[in-house]
């Protein structure tokens, strides 16, 4: 979110307001020194007025710059407010957003990955908020986009609590070299928030920046499926078990 909007929420002055206050103090000090110098100057050798004029011009230029910055902050504030209002419209919709922060909601989570080339092996590794690995899922290896739905269980079959997790895709070719992978998550938006990072959508307990959204629909994110499934979109949506 922009500086001015955050400042309004936190009752803190903006950068331009701080700069204006500093300039005002400096200008008062300058005028005090100027009048003191004029009072005690030698009448036979008066001080050069050009120097005073230059300093006044410099103060004026700084003041204009601060005013310009203040206006820009206001414009950014309006833009941030518009984004916040627009974000409300996402609540209740299912959104696909770039990233690997995986929200587990009602015991289910959905993530997507795109392979730049055919892989020899691919697996989705899920970590909890402490960075500990909780699940490893063997996944589709064909070129293109794939979707994996996680049932919220760890490798021992224990049901894990809803919350924020991280999904990392490890894909390797026949020579065991890592393959480039792009990841996204698909989830239903439950709320929005504004902070220093801008406007964010909330998926359960996971915030995602609004500019990460790549698609929106009104369909359920997890489709009511049970267990873990890998949906190979390239092959027409055939689902394969991701043991």
């Amino acid at each position: 979110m922009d500086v001015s909007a955050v400042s309004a929420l936190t009752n803190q002055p903006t950068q331009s307001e701080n700069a204006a206050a500093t300039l005002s103090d400096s200008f008062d000090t300058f005028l005090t020194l100027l009048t003191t110098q004029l009072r005690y100057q030698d009448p036979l050798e008066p001080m050069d007025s050009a120097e005073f004029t230059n300093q006044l011009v410099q103060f004026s230029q700084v003041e204009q710059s601060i005013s310009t910055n203040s206006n820009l902050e206001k414009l950014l504030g309006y833009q941030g407010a518009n984004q916040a209002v627009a974000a409300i419209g996402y609540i209740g919709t299912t959104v696909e957003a770039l990233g690997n922060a995986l929200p587990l909601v009602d015991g289910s989570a959905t993530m997507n990955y795109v392979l730049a080339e055919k892989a020899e092996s691919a697996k989705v590794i899920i970590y909890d908020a402490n960075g500990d690995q909780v699940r490893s899922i063997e996944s589709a290896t064909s070129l293109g986009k794939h979707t994996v739905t996680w049932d919220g269980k760890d490798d021992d079959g224990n049901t894990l609590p809803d919350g924020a997790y991280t999904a990392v895709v490890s894909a390797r070719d026949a020579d065991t070299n890592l393959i480039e992978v792009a990841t996204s998550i698909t989830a239903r938006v439950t709320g929005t928030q504004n902070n220093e990072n801008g406007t964010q959508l909330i998926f359960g307990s996971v915030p995602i920046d609004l500019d990460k959204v790549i698609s929106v629909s009104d369909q359920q994110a997890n489709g009511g499926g049970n267990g873990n499934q890998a949906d190979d979109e390239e092959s027409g949506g055939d689902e394969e078990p991701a043991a």
Side-chain angles (χ1 to χ4, degrees), residues 86-104:
I88 295 175
Y90 286 94
I91 297 177
T93 63
T94 296
V95 167
E96 181 180 357
L98 297 174
N100 62 350
L102 186 65
L104 181 64

Side-chain angles (χ1 to χ4, degrees), residues 17-35:
E17 289 172 342
N18 286 329
T22 301
L23 179 65
S24 178
D25 291 340
S26 300
F27 190 64
D28 289 342
T29 302
F30 167 73
L31 290 179
T32 300
L33 292 173
L34 175 60
T35 54

Side-chain angles (χ1 to χ4, degrees), residues 89-151:
Y90 286 94
I91 297 177
T93 63
T94 296
V95 167
E96 181 180 357
L98 297 174
N100 62 350
L102 186 65
L104 181 64
V105 179
D106 295 333
S108 185
T110 300
M111 65 89 60
N112 317 284
Y113 65 95
V114 179
L115 294 177
E117 60 183 276
K118 186 181 184 305
E120 184 69 20
S121 65
K123 64 176 61 177
V124 175
I125 304 172
I126 300 173
Y127 300 87
D128 63 17
N130 297 320
D132 298 323
Q133 179 178 326
V134 295
R135 188 65 185 270
S136 177
I137 304 171
E138 296 293 334
S139 304
T141 58
S142 58
L143 170 69
K145 183 176 181 179
H146 308 281
T147 298
V148 175
T149 299
W150 175 43
D151 61 4

Side-chain angles (χ1 to χ4, degrees), residues 173-191:
D173 60 20
D175 297 322
T176 70
N177 297 315
L178 286 172
I179 296 174
E180 182 180 355
V181 182
T183 60
S184 64
I185 61 101
T186 300
R188 184 165 291 273
V189 179
T190 56

